[in-house]
Amino acid sequence: MLGALVLSAGAGCSRRVPEGTTAEQAVANAPTVYVAKRIRTLDAAKPEVQALAVKDGKVLAVGTREEALAAAGTTARVVELGDATVVPGLTDAHGHLAGLGQALASVRLEGTTSLAEVRQRLEKAPATAYQGDWLVGQGWDQNDWDTQRFPTLFDMGEHLKDTPVAMWRIDGHALWLNGAALKRANITRDTKDPAGGTIVRLPEGDPSGVLIDNAMDLVMKVLPPPTREQHEARMHAALEHCARVGLTGVHDAGMDLRTFRLLQAWDKAGTLPLRVYAMADGQTDEHVQYLKDGPFQGKLLTMRAVKLLLDGALGSRGAALGAAYSDEPGHRGLLLLSPEEYASRVHAFVGRGFQVATHAIGDRANTLVLDTVLRELAATGTKDARPRVEHAQIMTAEDITRLGANGFVASVQPTHATSDMPWAEKRVGPERIQGAYAWQKLKAAGAVLALGSDFPVERPDVLAGLYAARTRQDPSGQPPGGWQPDQRLSGQEALEGFTVGAAWASFAEAQRGQLKPGMDADFVALSVDPVDAPPADLLTGQVQLTVVAGREVFRADAQ
């Protein structure tokens, strides 16, 4: 998967060996002692050590340099990491690998501040951004533009008038098309809004070029899929990028069957570089095949969960709210599955032994998740189900209490709060915002926090996530003191969210999340201490080494 694994014979000595070779396997399985200024084990019995011994993909010993060398034996290689801080393997508990691969290859619109800048980027589109003759891209956010309005088909530019163009909003819940794309999808003023979706229209009734939530399916039926070569290249790039930013694992939130089959093949061949906890796509017709196949356990690939989407996103006003949006009277958002269909799919997947993970952003959606899942678990007597609420973004005080008291996982994304804070209160008002992005309130209620990024909606850079969790500020340090600062996490709590919390959320707490003898040798060496260093240092910190099952999948000094 990675073009080459980086193998070290000690400080200052490194060489590249192609994947799959005997040499690579020999080094990965040989006893190795890693020595650093600080190793945070997250084991209360021995929280901080200086050396870590690894053998056969497992932690052999932790302690002083002498203790680790004694456990590893005289033939062990020694890797000196200097002033680095080593932490247990960092896991993004909510990401989209196929989406990241597409984002890396397509037109990137993140950070654009005007429609003119968007058009400039479209004019410079790379060849990799085409699927068939369609130009694809993502990352636009009208809240960042000087116009602050949804774009229309007329905003794309004349030079692309004959090329179908499809550009996803940054949250993936809205799609912007030009006239050629609307024509290919046969979307006209007579096309009715599908259930759970909206075709945004111009004043005269014609489609504006923006589709929200389930309306995007009208385009997905005609958009050419990536070729096999494109798909493999994009997945390779996504996994390599994750290793580079310090991730040893990803919880993939809604994996399509094509991607799952590809990762199964790579896992079987031993070329999958990271641990992937895949959630089956429970939204599309592919959910039928996943129900037929049931859960899967490979070497580094696991599928034990299903991802269901109950509502849209707050930024595109698709999140399902109990009362109307504060900035759009009369509009309460969208349910992407009817309550009856959602209950049916929860019942089916629980019956097949899947963990249920549900995307719920608005308070109406979160209430429906809790009502439905709790009713199903009580009826079936299912124990230790660890149901997950993905985002848990806008919640009532009562539902925060229910979520924590009933063993749910709160799968939340720190950088969502810092991206949304300029406009979130405008959407929901001053009262509902008190239950928004409420990490400490969720913890106090007893919920396990599993932290992620929702890449490619946000960057998968885990140091940025740790910074956002600790500060609730943007990279420039605004607002002073942080947004809703009482909901900030401590450095320890933030680190636990990407390690211990993510492990518990995937039923892997006995194997990962800490560095203890017998546990998986997944760990990351950082140039900055994520717990005690000033938070601003995280923004310039560097990943020095990423290790998965004892195998070095990224090393900065070998690049």
Side-chain angles (χ1 to χ4, degrees), residues 200-225:
V200 180
R201 300 177 190 273
L202 299 169
E204 61 271 22
D206 290 320
S208 73
V210 172
L211 310 178
I212 297 176
D213 289 315
N214 287 354
M216 297 187 295
D217 293 342
L218 299 171
V219 172
M220 298 309 296
K221 294 174 182 178
V222 297
L223 176 67

Side-chain angles (χ1 to χ4, degrees), residues 118-463:
V118 168
R119 286 190 288 269
Q120 289 173 1
R121 294 198 190 183
L122 291 176
E123 290 173 4
K124 299 176 182 178
T128 56
Y130 284 85
Q131 289 180 204
D133 64 340
W134 286 61
L135 179 62
V136 299
Q138 58 195 75
W140 61 271
D141 184 350
Q142 81 281 3
N143 295 301
D144 295 338
W145 295 340
D146 47 14
T147 57
Q148 292 201 345
R149 64 165 173 82
F150 269 160
T152 73
L153 71 161
F154 304 113
D155 292 320
M156 288 278 191
E158 279 296 306
H159 76 289
L160 288 169
K161 65 179 181 179
D162 297 323
T163 300
V165 182
M167 297 285 140
W168 276 264
R169 192 181 183 277
I170 192 166
D171 55 21
H173 286 267
L175 183 61
W176 174 25
L177 309 171
N178 68 351
L182 286 169
K183 185 175 181 180
R184 289 281 186 95
N186 196 29
I187 299 171
T188 70
R189 67 184 303 154
D190 297 323
T191 306
K192 297 185 183 301
D193 289 356
T198 300
I199 300 170
V200 180
R201 300 177 190 273
L202 299 169
E204 61 271 22
D206 290 320
S208 73
V210 172
L211 310 178
I212 297 176
D213 289 315
N214 287 354
M216 297 187 295
D217 293 342
L218 299 171
V219 172
M220 298 309 296
K221 294 174 182 178
V222 297
L223 176 67
T227 65
R228 180 178 63 81
E229 292 77 12
Q230 281 180 315
H231 187 222
E232 291 188 3
R234 290 176 179 184
M235 291 302 297
H236 175 108
L239 289 161
E240 186 172 27
H241 186 86
C242 288
R244 191 183 311 123
V245 299
L247 292 172
T248 62
V250 171
H251 295 182
D252 192 288
M255 185 174 286
D256 65 276
L257 195 57
R258 183 189 191 192
T259 299
F260 180 58
R261 296 292 188 230
L262 177 64
L263 295 194
Q264 276 186 307
W266 285 349
D267 187 49
K268 184 177 181 181
T271 56
L272 185 63
L274 307 182
R275 297 190 192 275
V276 178
Y277 185 75
M279 305 178 204
D281 179 358
Q283 205 77 4
T284 68
D285 291 343
E286 290 185 345
H287 81 276
V288 176
Q289 186 63 48
Y290 281 125
L291 281 170
K292 180 180 178 181
D293 293 346
F296 169 84
Q297 181 62 61
K299 301 171 187 174
L300 297 183
L301 176 65
T302 302
M303 178 169 283
R304 184 177 175 172
V306 61
K307 165 76 177 305
L308 298 167
L309 286 93
L310 200 47
D311 68 343
L314 196 65
S316 52
R317 297 184 183 85
L321 301 180
Y325 276 78
S326 297
D327 59 356
E328 188 174 339
H331 180 64
R332 295 199 304 148
L334 300 166
L335 286 178
L336 307 188
L337 293 171
S338 69
E340 296 76 19
E341 183 60 29
Y342 175 64
S344 174
R345 296 195 189 191
V346 168
H347 176 74
F349 276 99
V350 167
R352 283 291 277 145
F354 283 84
Q355 176 191 36
V356 173
T358 309
H359 165 115
I361 289 183
D363 52 9
R364 177 162 52 120
N366 276 285
T367 297
L368 183 56
V369 170
L370 292 167
D371 288 348
T372 304
V373 174
L374 289 174
R375 184 170 60 246
E376 175 65 26
L377 298 182
T380 58
T382 305
K383 304 296 183 184
D384 195 27
R386 303 186 193 182
R388 299 171 54 137
V389 180
E390 305 298 320
H391 309 305
Q393 204 159 289
I394 312 293
M395 300 189 71
T396 65
E398 179 186 2
D399 282 347
I400 288 174
T401 298
R402 286 205 297 161
L403 187 150
N406 286 284
F408 281 72
V409 176
S411 174
V412 297
Q413 299 74 44
T415 47
H416 275 342
T418 53
S419 291
D420 297 356
M421 63 185 179
W423 47 262
E425 188 170 341
K426 296 176 184 176
R427 294 285 193 273
V428 299
E431 292 184 12
R432 286 181 292 190
I433 203 67
Q434 299 306 311
Y437 315 87
W439 310 327
Q440 287 293 355
K441 291 177 182 177
L442 287 162
K443 280 183 64 68
V448 171
L449 297 187
L451 303 186
S453 68
D454 199 11
F455 67 74
V457 176
E458 306 281 355
R459 294 180 299 146
D461 304 20
V462 70
L463 288 171

Side-chain angles (χ1 to χ4, degrees), residues 71-86:
T74 58
T75 62
R77 69 184 184 118
V78 177
V79 178
E80 301 283 353
L81 296 173
D83 289 336
T85 295
V86 174

